[in-house]
């Protein structure tokens, strides 16, 4: 059922005095307010967050509930501040850091809350524990009519619990692919010197943001019927179109410069994620190839940077000879490995000479996580052939068991919050 308190045509004022013609100005005000409190990665990201907040006020009219993935490489990137701002502007916010999954299942209904999840690694990471139900809800709730069935009540009857709800999730590092693929992704960074934000103080900030929230509700609630009927032309396809459609619907309802601005943001941010996916795949390929080179060299304790580079570039089946403008170099190699906590250092070899080199033990944790021993995780049938084609040459089996566990010590960085 889609609530429609008015004609849905945008011809009249809402209960708060906002007309559809004033929607563009209201979104401008919201965009400016969000930009005062957080530094987002780009102008397109600021546009996306503004539209995501507004879309939360028409959730009952939507077919898809886009996730907002607020991720960053370290603590102090402003992820929690984004959630603070969202909490005061979205429709029916619900923080879920320490919330029981059973509570969330019972609260979601025809007019669902907007879920705000901080420290998302406690749900998706190794510390997830008994939160499988909440993880399943967040995966399923992107699309309407994907209920979770549970035995409920004293008569133990099978009961369907709705899962459909918009959700913003903040955490260090990328979230699982099942979330990222259904999300508008904000890749937060630490503020540079000179980038200023207004202090977030409850006495002043909350009333200002709550006033914007109330204006959004007054404008958009009567337009839920119109939003339900809209089928906007989209600049992307498939799941990206499902995720961005609610944001574009809001922009089209607002009019003015927002329809074009929303579609430009959609194109820019989805293309950025395609590049991120390609880089992730490339980095994994690099780990496989380095593992092979170490195996070919007898698994020495360290390899000179120049020797490792030469072996990588000489592989005709690998992309490294054509990487960049003149092939993979020492800077490229260090940059690609940085996210794994791997870097070159001075190393003394048997002849007594020092050189920049990569120690083998630095790779053990990354190898265990991203390219585990094929003998332990061999793909079946056609998948094995596909894996061999994707990787070029299969890596040599390791000469010892690689440690599998949380990163720490010299083998890898320890994530902090």
């Amino acid at each position: 059922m889609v609530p429609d308190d008015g004609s849905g045509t945008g011809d009249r004022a809402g209960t708060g005095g906002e007309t559809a013609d004033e929607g563009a100005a209201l979104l401008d005000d919201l965009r400016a307010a969000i930009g005062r409190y957080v530094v987002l990665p780009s102008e397109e990201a600021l546009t996306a967050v503004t539209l995501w907040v507004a879309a939360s006020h028409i959730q009952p009219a939507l077919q898809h509930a886009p996730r907002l993935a607020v991720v960053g490489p370290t603590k102090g990137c402003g992820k929690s501040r984004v959630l603070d701002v969202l909490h005061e502007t979205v429709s029916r916010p619900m923080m879920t850091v320490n919330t029981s999954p059973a509570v969330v299942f019972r609260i979601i209904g025809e007019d669902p809350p907007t879920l705000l999840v901080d420290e998302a690694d406690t749900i998706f990471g190794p510390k997830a524990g008994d939160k499988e139900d909440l993880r399943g809800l967040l995966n399923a709730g992107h699309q309407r009519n994907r209920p979770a069935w549970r035995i409920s009540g004293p008569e133990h009857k099978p009961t369907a619990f709705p899962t459909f709800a918009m959700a913003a999730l903040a955490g260090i590092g990328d979230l699982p692919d099942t979330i990222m693929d259904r999300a508008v992704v904000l890749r937060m960074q630490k503020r540079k010197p000179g980038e200023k934000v207004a202090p977030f103080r409850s006495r002043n900030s909350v009333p200002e943001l709550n006033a914007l929230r109330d204006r959004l509700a007054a404008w958009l609630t009567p337009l839920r019927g119109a939003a339900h009927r809209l089928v906007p032309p989209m600049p992307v396809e498939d799941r990206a179109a499902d995720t961005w459609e609610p944001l574009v619907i809001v922009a089209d309802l607002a009019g003015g410069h927002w329809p074009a601005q929303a579609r430009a943001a959609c194109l820019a941010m989805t293309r950025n994620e395609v590049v991120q996916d390609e880089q992730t795949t490339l980095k994994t390929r690099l780990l496989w190839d380095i593992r092979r080179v170490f195996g070919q060299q007898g698994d020495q304790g360290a390899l000179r940077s120049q020797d490792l580079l030469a072996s990588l570039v000489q592989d005709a089946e690998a992309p490294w000879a054509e990487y960049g403008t003149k092939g993979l170099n020492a800077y490229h190699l260090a940059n690609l490995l940085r996210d794994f906590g791997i870097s070159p250092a001075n190393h003394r070899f048997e002849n007594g000479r020092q050189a920049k080199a990569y120690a083998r033990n630095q790779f053990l944790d990354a190898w265990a996580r991203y390219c585990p021993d094929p003998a332990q995780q061999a793909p079946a049938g056609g998948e094995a052939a596909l894996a061999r084609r994707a990787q070029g040459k299969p890596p040599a089996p390791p000469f010892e068991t690689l440690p599998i566990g949380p990163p720490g010590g010299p083998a890898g960085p320890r994530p902090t919050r």
Side-chain angles (χ1 to χ4, degrees), residues 211-401:
L212 287 167
R213 177 199 62 201
D214 295 343
R215 290 173 60 195
L216 285 169
W219 168 49
L220 287 168
T221 299
L223 297 176
R224 286 178 177 177
H228 181 69
R229 292 187 292 271
L230 271 180
V231 183
M234 297 295 297
V236 293
E237 297 178 341
D238 302 325
R239 185 161 285 161
D242 295 339
T243 298
W244 278 85
E245 184 181 68
L247 282 64
V248 173
I249 286 174
V250 170
D252 285 355
L253 290 173
H257 61 88
W258 279 96
Q261 193 167 317
R263 289 171 172 83
C266 172
L267 277 175
M269 295 184 70
T270 52
R271 285 171 179 168
N272 183 64
E273 287 309 299
V274 169
V275 172
Q276 290 288 336
D277 289 344
E278 290 173 350
Q279 284 293 313
T280 299
T281 302
L282 192 67
K283 291 174 183 177
T284 304
R285 169 65 187 266
L286 180 60
L287 289 174
W288 279 108
D289 286 351
I290 290 175
R291 186 176 180 180
R292 173 181 51 77
V293 172
F294 268 99
Q296 291 173 343
Q297 299 296 325
D299 285 305
Q300 300 177 28
L303 287 178
R304 293 178 179 85
S305 299
Q306 60 185 23
D307 294 339
L308 179 58
L309 279 167
S311 296
L312 292 170
V313 171
Q314 288 169 7
D315 185 352
E317 298 181 16
W320 312 119
E322 299 176 355
Y323 187 87
T325 57
K326 297 182 179 179
L328 189 71
N329 59 33
Y331 173 79
H332 297 148
L333 181 60
N335 191 51
L336 289 169
L337 294 173
R338 185 176 295 116
D339 287 346
F340 303 110
I342 299 170
S343 59
N346 289 326
H347 187 87
R348 188 178 298 277
F349 290 87
E350 294 178 356
N351 57 12
R353 304 183 69 176
Q354 282 193 358
K356 285 286 186 183
Y358 284 90
R360 187 177 183 277
N361 64 3
Q362 279 194 300
F363 292 90
L364 297 181
D365 182 77
W367 286 341
R369 294 176 184 278
Y370 298 97
C371 43
D373 185 353
Q376 297 174 0
Q377 297 188 6
E383 293 182 357
L386 180 61
R388 284 194 296 272
R389 288 197 299 272
Q391 300 298 339
K393 298 179 180 179
F399 281 76
E400 74 266 58
T401 301

Side-chain angles (χ1 to χ4, degrees), residues 5 33 58-59 65 69 90 96-97 103 107 130 148 169-170 230 245 259 266 275 313 342 351 359 380 410:
D5 299 331
I58 57 169
Q59 283 194 74
V90 299
T96 62
V97 175
V103 172
I107 286 179
D130 59 353
L169 304 97
L230 271 180
E245 184 181 68
C266 172
V275 172
V313 171
I342 299 170
N351 57 12

Side-chain angles (χ1 to χ4, degrees), residues 26-38 40 46-59 68 80-95 112-116 166 168 186 200 204-221 224 250:
L26 174 52
L27 291 182
D28 288 343
D29 291 345
L30 177 62
R31 190 179 192 276
I34 295 172
R36 279 197 296 274
Y37 294 110
V38 292
L40 292 167
L46 181 54
T47 295
V49 174
T50 302
L51 294 169
W52 192 89
V53 168
S56 72
H57 292 269
I58 57 169
Q59 283 194 74
L68 186 69
S80 295
R81 177 63 73 237
V82 171
L83 293 190
D84 290 337
V85 174
L86 295 180
H87 187 270
E88 306 306 329
T89 51
V90 299
S91 174
R92 301 184 61 213
M94 179 182 178
M95 281 286 186
T114 305
L115 305 178
L116 306 175
M166 289 176 64
L186 305 183
F200 189 89
N204 300 317
S205 306
V206 170
E208 173 201 5
L209 295 173
N210 287 173
L212 287 167
R213 177 199 62 201
D214 295 343
R215 290 173 60 195
L216 285 169
W219 168 49
L220 287 168
T221 299
R224 286 178 177 177
V250 170

Side-chain angles (χ1 to χ4, degrees), residues 121-145:
D121 54 302
T122 62
I123 296 174
F124 298 107
K127 297 180 287 183
D130 59 353
K131 297 185 179 178
E132 290 290 338
D133 282 349
L134 187 54
R135 174 166 30 186
L137 182 151
L138 291 168
N139 281 334
H142 176 260
Q143 187 170 344
R144 192 174 289 281
N145 299 323

